[in-house]
Amino acid sequence: MKVLVIGSGGREHALCWKIAQSVKVKKLYCAPGNGGIAQSAQIIDIKADDVNRLVDFASQERIDLTIVGPEVPLVAGIVDRFLDKGLKVFGPSKDMARLEGSKVFAKEAMRRLGVPTADFKMFLDAKEAHNYIEERSTPLVIKADGLAAGKGVIVCKAKEEAHDAIKRIMEDNEFGLAGDKVVIEDCLIGEEASIMVVSDGKNFIPLVSSQDHKRIFDGDKGPNTGGMGAYSPAPVVEGENFKRSINEIIKPMILGLAKEGTPFKGILYAGIMITEDGPKTLEFNVRFGDPETQAVLPRMKTDLVELTEASIDGTLDKIKMSWDDRPCACVVVASGGYPGPYRKGKEIEGLKGASGIKDAVVFHAGTRVSEDGKIVTSGGRVLGVTALGETLEEAVKRSYEAVSKIKFDKMYYRKDIAQKAFAKKV
Ligand code: AMP
Ligand code: GLY
């Protein structure tokens, strides 16, 4: 088979790494890829959101299976475009990608299907939104409706902050059209975790649980990032909370959407808050999480190509999943300054040494191969240094041991990945 992966981050490196292990795959392409992906796939110089050129490339090369990493092409309708050309592609239709592309669409679907989530109201008008803030008690969460690269959600402790958020989103149009509508919702208190499931529209299979670390500094301090590390499983959502999340959140969504005649195919990712009253949905994504995927795929024994094909073909009920029981941890190594301004083009040393640590693998994110063949930094999040261990503690220890082999100017990483889980039993 010829397989194409779309995207250029750590998630896509993990996808390529896993797909390259499938006996079914003869040739693997990645567009646009990165310095690490170049070692296991042929890099194609087409951006992930250039849907027209991706359709042309896949048609010309007769690609047998395409897996889309990021949300932007999915929300733009890449799956419908591939299907129109008779090309096999893993992911949701444009219509169902709105679960991630529109907060209003997602919240209304949850309300309709009885899925637990924070109480909310939708606004098209800034004045009405300001009035509503005055009626409610804080904290409140203000969300721009559309995609805003993770920046469109503002948790407001005081009313002033909430008014300011409405001004930024609806009056100053900081997020452009994404801010034409807003959702104002109650703030949920608890610990967050992620559950991803693969769906074929009528059947679904849960992947193992995981937890992301969104803030830049240790102790969850500082601004939000694309994710500074992950681990799997996440004890906070194991056992009863996992069962409840599946039965109360995932099942009613997948079965409800099927019943409404708009089946969801691909990965449904639920961002969940474990509150005192049990699991509640924060958001849905319609793709693999980043960096959760880097901590989940090393544990997957099942062939990912067979799994994604079964999602496309509607035969997930025939798939028997198999997992490595060992926990996995991923430490993200970033460029100093990220998520603010940072420098690129720094040579990365010690990658071989890091990969030499037992059960460790280094997934590249913001890297490229320089003109003289060296691996250099090219983004904010540079590497996802990942390891399996007999215990989560061992997985984390191995990841940091691998990180200690790596060097580049102004490299930065969190020192407390998975610390929260150590107090709980895995
Ligand atoms: P979202 O894109 O909707 O997941 O929001 C991004 C982040 O904002 C989440 O991961 C949470 O940390 C936070 N968040 C979103 N909604 C809420 C809420 N209702 N209560 C508390 N925190 C929230
Ligand atoms: N880790 C959060 C996300 O992938 O959106």
Side-chain angles (χ1 to χ4, degrees):
M1 280 176 75
K2 286 183 176 180
V3 179
L4 168 65
V5 171
I6 296 173
S8 61
R11 165 185 52 207
E12 287 76 16
H13 192 184
L15 287 168
C16 286
W17 170 84
K18 179 72 184 151
I19 290 164
Q21 293 167 29
S22 169
V23 291
K24 300 184 87 172
V25 177
K26 288 272 169 308
K27 177 95 191 162
L28 179 59
Y29 301 91
C30 186
N34 62 38
I37 292 173
Q39 290 156 20
S40 54
Q42 183 178 329
I43 296 299
I44 304 300
D45 187 19
I46 306 177
K47 292 221 169 69
D49 55 3
D50 193 343
V51 175
N52 288 336
R53 288 186 62 208
L54 289 167
V55 173
D56 288 347
F57 172 78
S59 303
Q60 277 155 20
E61 286 299 321
R62 296 173 199 273
I63 299 291
D64 299 298
L65 170 67
T66 298
I67 298 182
V68 188
E71 62 276 18
V72 171
L74 290 168
V75 171
I78 194 169
V79 167
D80 309 54
R81 295 283 307 280
F82 270 60
L83 293 178
D84 282 347
K85 293 268 183 214
L87 293 160
K88 267 195 169 186
V89 58
F90 176 69
S93 63
K94 182 177 185 177
D95 195 28
M96 282 302 103
R98 284 189 292 165
L99 285 174
E100 178 161 1
S102 165
K103 304 273 187 210
V104 173
F105 180 83
K107 294 292 291 193
E108 284 175 349
M110 283 188 256
R111 186 173 270 170
R112 208 170 56 241
L113 300 172
V115 170
T117 188
D119 208 10
F120 73 99
K121 215 169 153 142
M122 186 271 284
F123 293 91
L124 290 160
D125 179 73
K127 196 149 164 269
E128 283 175 25
H130 286 299
N131 289 342
Y132 181 72
I133 290 167
E134 282 308 306
E135 286 168 22
R136 303 292 291 190
S137 51
T138 50
L140 284 171
V141 183
I142 315 276
K143 300 183 172 183
D145 178 51
L147 290 184
K151 297 196 177 77
V153 175
I154 306 170
V155 180
C156 307
K157 290 203 182 75
K159 292 204 171 175
E160 261 160 59
E161 282 174 76
H163 287 299
D164 184 55
I166 292 296
K167 182 171 176 295
R168 283 170 55 198
I169 299 172
M170 299 191 93
E171 294 163 43
D172 302 343
N173 300 318
E174 207 170 285
F175 306 110
L177 290 178
D180 277 3
K181 293 181 205 160
V182 298
V183 168
I184 303 185
E185 66 180 42
D186 293 346
C187 191
L188 298 172
I189 311 291
E191 194 176 329
E192 285 181 46
S194 310
I195 293 183
M196 297 184 266
V197 303
V198 189
S199 171
D200 66 6
K202 46 189 196 296
N203 310 290
F204 67 87
I205 298 179
L207 307 187
V208 286
S209 69
S210 55
Q211 191 179 51
D212 184 6
H213 297 62
K214 289 207 163 92
R215 306 291 184 125
I216 184 74
F217 300 126
D218 287 11
D220 294 331
K221 303 256 167 27
N224 265 327
T225 68
M228 293 303 294
Y231 62 94
S232 171
V236 67
V237 71
E238 286 295 285
E240 192 56 27
N241 279 329
F242 193 83
K243 262 194 233 151
R244 284 191 64 180
S245 301
I246 295 295
N247 287 330
E248 295 169 25
I249 297 173
I250 302 291
K251 212 171 179 175
M253 281 307 289
I254 300 285
L255 300 187
L257 293 170
K259 214 166 161 194
E260 291 181 342
T262 50
F264 182 93
K265 287 189 170 211
I267 295 284
L268 185 65
Y269 163 132
I272 291 167
M273 187 75 94
I274 306 299
T275 71
E276 274 185 352
D277 305 328
K280 295 207 190 311
T281 322
L282 289 167
E283 64 167 338
F284 284 116
N285 294 325
V286 298
R287 51 170 174 81
F288 287 101
D290 189 339
E292 290 94 329
T293 301
Q294 292 88 308
V296 165
L297 287 185
R299 301 187 58 207
M300 186 188 281
K301 290 185 178 165
T302 311
D303 185 328
L304 183 61
V305 172
E306 276 177 22
L307 186 64
T308 49
E309 284 191 296
S311 157
I312 296 166
D313 297 339
T315 55
L316 272 183
D317 52 336
K318 306 274 185 319
I319 294 277
K320 183 105 189 62
M321 283 304 279
S322 161
W323 294 97
D324 191 329
D325 284 338
R326 291 175 299 166
C328 186
C330 168
V331 177
V332 169
V333 178
S335 301
Y338 171 80
Y342 54 84
R343 289 184 184 272
K344 298 181 187 176
K346 308 283 184 192
E347 183 179 345
I348 306 169
E349 289 175 278
L351 288 167
K352 274 223 176 74
S355 308
I357 301 292
K358 187 171 159 33
D359 289 325
V361 45
V362 179
F363 294 123
H364 291 223
T367 74
R368 66 177 179 84
V369 184
S370 70
E371 291 64 36
D372 50 357
K374 293 188 171 123
I375 299 281
V376 299
T377 66
S378 69
R381 291 187 302 156
V382 176
L383 303 166
V385 182
T386 305
L388 290 158
E390 291 306 321
T391 59
L392 185 58
E393 282 85 344
E394 190 179 49
V396 170
K397 194 164 155 261
R398 283 184 184 154
S399 299
Y400 281 115
E401 202 182 328
V403 169
S404 75
K405 308 281 178 202
I406 294 169
K407 262 210 294 273
F408 61 87
D409 187 31
K410 306 232 164 35
M411 79 181 235
Y412 169 80
Y413 57 92
R414 271 179 69 159
K415 313 275 190 307
D416 66 343
I417 298 307
Q419 285 290 333
K420 247 192 253 172
F422 292 163
K424 306 181 182 95
K425 270 271 155 278
V426 177

